[in-house]
Amino acid sequence: MTSAKYPISALPLASKSHLLIHNLTPDTHTPNHEQFRTKVLLETPSLQRRARLLPGPCHFSHVTPFPVPFPYAIEPPVPAPTDGKASYIENWLADREAVHPLPTPEKFPNSPLRKYAAKNRDQPLDLIGISETGLRDCVPHLDVGDAFAVIGTPSLAHEFDDEGDPQPSDIKEAVDARQDLIDVLSGQFTLMSAPEDSASPNNVPFSPWSLRYSGHQFGSWAGQLGDGRAITIHVTPHPSNPEETYELQLKGSGRTPFSRSADGLAVLRSSIREYLCSEAMEALHIPTTRALSLVSLPALPVHRERVETACVLTRMAPSFIRIGNFEAFNGPTNMFFFGGGQQKSDFEALRILGEWVARSVLKLDIELGKAWGEQMVLDIAKRNAKMVAGWQAYGFMHGVMNTDNISVLGLTIDFGPYAFMDVFDPNHICNHTDEGGRYAYKYQPNMIIYAIRALIDALAPLIGAEAESGGKAVPAGWAEGATSQKVEEWTTKGKELRDEAERIVQETAAVEYGRLMRKRLGLRRQDANDESKFFKPLLESMEQQNLDFHSTFRTLCSFKPSFLDQLDIDTITGTGTAPTETTDVSVSPALHNFIAKLLGGSSTPEKLNHGTATGEWLSWLDRYAERIRDEKSEWAGVVDVDAEREKEMRAANPRFVLRQWVLEEVIAKVERDSDSGKRVLAKVMHMACNPYEPWGAEDNDRPESELDKEEKEERRYCSLGEKKMLGFQCSCSS
């Protein structure tokens, strides 16, 4: 059954019980929606844009999107105002706030929110991407009108052809829905509840917000950080389950109180990277935040290493709360400096946040009045252990695993200088800012343990107090009047959870990693020595032979044990050791071609000792074939086991991967020409969302010359790329 569709300004709003802003503590400067809308936006809008520390108990601050150039070009009036400088700054900002209500759509007179327009900040807006899978999975009830049609037909090779050009609809409703989408998701218009609805019993006061959090960055305490360029503009229930809600968050939509010295904006380059990878991770079945849209603001300059243009990404998740949100209320030290610092501990705010996360975000089944702190920590540990296992199994490197970038839901979040592995190197560092290699590929599981320890440190006094109470939840005001000695006792007791949490992360990650690696190898049975017998030797061969991580797994999909039927490994190698270059290894044509294809994935074929490499593969493949044969009972009822195993493996090993060179090329094309570039972007998004398809006529016997242009480009986009791009590192600048 098809659910009703709504333009974004009429999209259903979650109930109060599902809204963070009605369950956590607001900034004292924006204490509620009504005061925010009528006072702050009109009289003191600079409160949203000034870097400041939130008062101790506060979890969030109301703030509206404000994508304008920064520093703000505020010219003092002539003659000078008699009431001082502050007034004309407030007036300048207020004149550009989205505070002018527009009429409710006729078709949706009971819309829960009203659309507010801004004046004096008009600029061109260009929809360059909309995610079909993000829309389908998270907000299937959102009407995007003719948004896909105006982007044009996805294509790698025909982006300049007339055929497939954007075709706007001639149906007014479709055009209006698309424009509504662009208006809101660009940050140029704002959704808030209307004052005339306040008397209604079903009214849910709503204004956008940004979250406060702190964190450890590269192992050093950074104090208050917060959503410096991210603003949640809507929360909507999924039409199939009202208990499942999604936040719609704009990234790059202007300054907030947490921006510190930054501009609150995001560049097109980094926005494209996050947009694509969010959906690519979902296709790989790795927990992640999701992407909805990209709206370019081509006239808005953003100063990074060079002057670039702005872009607003809309991302979605049930919650964007991180480990750093807990650290904000009980950090390791207090500090203050210009524009930032860290507040004193606030144990009541810690309790309020924890209860919300445990019951409403993680949805833990905890009896009312029972302790929740320990169970919540261990649940967050398990979720993140599964997430990082997915990273390791699919060669994903995050690059900035600071504690403020670790989601309590175990979602991959904040895609910055990330990378997928090319040539396998466990020491690879994808972020060139990470000079010490703290977040290198092989250290990522350890960094999850570090983040969970930071979470325990923040919650330790509460966990300790719950333990002291005999398993009861701490009540409101639980730490009032507690001496520093008592707090220290609770903290010491709470930190005893560290060992158990670390064990759970290691155990959960190992089990999940093993499950995923067996899936990638088409193995159905779990054996205790899988790691030592199959996974580790396979990765070691990749590393030693400079093989491409992903194409090696894809090639293994077509392996058949029968390739080795006429081969005696011990006879060939003498004692089972690898042959030398001069060893006479007589193999079947099928096996010869298969090993040649594996070794063809080397980035340094000129350095490859083919005899040694072939021997290593023969030894590993012999064990692999034996294991496959030994699993025959696992495939009971399957007529052609080889074909079925290959089918399953191809559904677990991507043909297309978001490599660094692909990202750089797509970004360059969109930056050069938006109209044609967005069609390339759409095709790459489609490939990223369907990575297991045989793109580029994979395994087709036709010569390259007989492939059509699109197939040739697909094949190129599935390749390792130019050697100079292998191991390419990005910066945190975005």
Side-chain angles (χ1 to χ4, degrees), residues 199-508:
S200 168
N202 298 320
N203 176 58
V204 178
F206 183 91
S207 297
W209 75 85
S210 291
L211 279 175
R212 166 190 168 190
Y213 50 82
S214 299
H216 287 81
Q217 299 193 321
F218 293 92
S220 298
W221 178 241
Q224 178 182 286
L225 299 164
D227 286 328
R229 57 175 175 175
I231 299 172
T232 293
I233 60 158
H234 207 306
V235 183
T236 187
H238 196 280
S240 67
N241 180 8
E243 294 299 309
E244 180 184 358
T245 61
Y246 281 92
E247 286 189 29
L248 274 61
Q249 188 176 85
L250 303 188
K251 185 173 181 178
S253 55
R255 277 181 64 84
T256 76
F258 310 107
S259 297
R260 293 174 287 174
S261 60
D263 55 23
L265 304 172
V267 298
L268 180 63
R269 163 178 50 86
S270 65
S271 302
I272 288 175
R273 287 176 59 86
E274 178 158 350
Y275 172 73
L276 289 173
C277 198
S278 299
E279 296 307 289
M281 294 294 272
E282 173 65 22
L284 295 173
H285 310 296
I286 299 172
T288 180
T289 57
R290 304 297 298 274
L292 177 60
S293 66
L294 281 177
V295 180
S296 171
L297 287 72
L300 177 50
V302 184
H303 297 267
R304 297 295 183 258
E305 284 91 347
R306 59 184 173 91
V307 179
E308 303 181 57
T309 58
C311 187
V312 177
L313 163 75
T314 302
R315 58 185 184 181
M316 302 175 289
S319 173
F320 289 96
I321 292 177
R322 308 119 186 279
I323 284 176
N325 287 95
F326 288 96
E327 291 185 282
F329 299 100
N330 187 26
T333 183
N334 305 328
M335 58 184 183
F336 298 94
F337 51 85
F338 181 74
Q342 175 60 42
Q343 303 87 332
K344 293 180 180 179
S345 296
D346 192 304
F347 295 132
E348 184 60 10
L350 189 69
R351 178 194 67 81
I352 293 170
L353 174 64
E355 288 190 349
W356 166 257
V357 170
R359 293 192 166 84
S360 298
V361 178
L362 302 177
K363 303 184 188 303
L364 300 179
D365 185 16
I366 300 173
E367 186 181 338
L368 194 63
K370 294 294 184 181
W372 49 264
E374 179 177 330
Q375 188 175 337
M376 181 183 73
V377 166
L378 297 183
D379 187 76
I380 293 171
K382 287 178 185 176
R383 289 169 180 266
N384 279 285
K386 285 185 176 181
M387 176 196 71
V388 80
W391 293 2
Q392 300 306 102
Y394 281 91
F396 175 79
M397 293 159 283
H398 184 277
V400 198
M401 294 176 66
N402 300 330
T403 57
D404 57 293
N405 291 338
I406 306 297
S407 157
V408 297
L409 282 168
L411 304 176
T412 310
I413 191 171
D414 286 342
F415 296 83
Y418 70 85
F420 283 94
M421 189 74 73
D422 290 314
V423 173
F424 183 71
D425 175 9
N427 298 300
H428 185 62
I429 306 161
C430 65
N431 178 1
H432 77 60
T433 309
D434 185 10
E435 296 178 356
R438 177 180 178 84
Y439 299 137
Y441 169 78
K442 69 178 182 181
Y443 294 134
Q444 291 186 137
N446 292 341
M447 292 301 100
I448 291 298
I449 291 174
Y450 179 91
I452 296 301
R453 283 178 178 170
L455 176 63
I456 292 171
D457 288 350
L459 282 161
L462 185 146
I463 294 170
E466 287 186 334
E468 186 182 87
S469 72
K472 295 179 180 177
V474 294
W478 64 281
E480 288 179 10
T483 65
S484 58
Q485 181 180 355
K486 172 53 72 174
V487 172
E488 187 59 34
E489 287 177 13
W490 287 336
T491 299
T492 301
K493 180 65 178 176
K495 286 184 178 180
E496 292 177 3
L497 187 59
R498 278 182 166 192
D499 289 344
E500 173 68 2
E502 184 171 338
R503 182 192 66 78
I504 282 178
V505 171
Q506 291 175 334
E507 185 179 282
T508 304

Side-chain angles (χ1 to χ4, degrees), residues 667-688:
I667 290 164
K669 288 189 174 187
V670 178
E671 287 181 333
R672 183 185 65 224
D673 180 71
S674 170
D675 288 339
S676 60
K678 66 178 68 172
R679 295 180 60 189
V680 175
L681 176 65
K683 179 59 180 278
V684 171
M685 174 62 98
H686 184 59
M687 293 173 73

Side-chain angles (χ1 to χ4, degrees), residues 25 73 85 123 143 202 286 361 432 466 468 476-477 537 570 577 601 689:
T25 306
K85 179 180 178 181
Q123 56 183 302
D143 185 359
N202 298 320
I286 299 172
V361 178
H432 77 60
E466 287 186 334
E468 186 182 87
D570 287 338
T577 58
C689 292

Side-chain angles (χ1 to χ4, degrees), residues 623-694:
R623 296 194 303 276
Y624 184 43
E626 182 182 359
R627 170 63 175 273
I628 292 171
R629 293 190 189 101
D630 195 46
E631 286 196 359
K632 187 176 181 180
S633 62
E634 303 288 334
W635 300 82
V638 177
V639 177
D640 189 339
V641 173
D642 284 341
E644 187 62 26
R645 192 184 68 257
E646 178 175 357
K647 180 181 176 182
E648 287 190 6
M649 289 179 68
R650 283 182 178 268
N653 293 294
R655 160 73 167 158
F656 174 75
V657 179
L658 272 181
R659 300 183 188 272
Q660 297 286 55
W661 79 263
V662 171
L663 289 163
E664 290 296 300
E665 182 167 308
V666 172
I667 290 164
K669 288 189 174 187
V670 178
E671 287 181 333
R672 183 185 65 224
D673 180 71
S674 170
D675 288 339
S676 60
K678 66 178 68 172
R679 295 180 60 189
V680 175
L681 176 65
K683 179 59 180 278
V684 171
M685 174 62 98
H686 184 59
M687 293 173 73
C689 292
N690 299 275
Y692 310 108
E693 295 297 312

Side-chain angles (χ1 to χ4, degrees), residues 100-105 114-117 183 189:
H100 308 284
L102 300 179
T104 302
R114 179 70 67 84
K115 184 177 176 183
Y116 290 78
D183 288 346
F189 292 69

